[in-house]
Amino acid sequence: MRNIIAITGLVIALAGCSTDGGGTTGAIDIGPGIRPIPGSITYRGQPRTKLTKSPIGSVVPHEFRNELGQRVEENYIIQPDRSLKLVSRRVFRDPFGLDD
């Protein structure tokens, strides 16, 4: 029974991941419910300034390099209270830095 639960959890976790065959090696998409990492806009909480001119529901893209030097692309959605909700992240894992 314990093995079935472990395998089911692994299948669910891997179902949310996909590789990008578009010229980058090992780009991974991660879905909703992900936590901010260092470099994310909301890593240390919501930003002090609010996006007052952007419509609610707008997508805010953000790109940065993580602590391993990998390029990271994140998308946020503006919530009704003007906070940002992290909804997707893509980490480009090209070992030679050719994914730029």
Side-chain angles (χ1 to χ4, degrees):
M1 183 66 169
R2 188 181 284 177
N3 288 340
I4 293 173
I5 294 172
I7 291 171
T8 302
L10 182 60
V11 168
I12 291 171
L14 290 175
C17 300
S18 64
T19 58
D20 180 14
T24 59
T25 57
I28 297 176
D29 287 324
I30 303 173
I34 57 177
R35 296 177 185 238
I37 60 173
S40 297
I41 295 173
T42 57
Y43 178 62
R44 299 203 185 270
Q46 291 291 323
R48 289 185 181 189
T49 57
K50 300 288 183 180
L51 297 170
T52 57
K53 294 185 179 181
S54 299
I56 293 169
S58 296
V59 175
V60 178
H62 176 60
E63 186 176 317
F64 61 97
R65 296 254 175 206
N66 66 12
E67 60 274 354
L68 300 175
Q70 299 166 324
R71 185 167 57 105
V72 179
E73 293 177 353
E74 293 181 332
N75 286 314
Y76 295 83
I77 293 182
I78 300 176
Q79 300 297 293
D81 65 353
R82 298 295 182 184
S83 64
L84 295 173
K85 178 180 179 183
L86 179 58
V87 294
S88 69
R89 176 182 298 133
R90 178 175 279 179
V91 180
F92 294 87
R93 298 184 180 183
D94 187 346
F96 303 107
L98 300 176
D99 62 350
D100 291 326

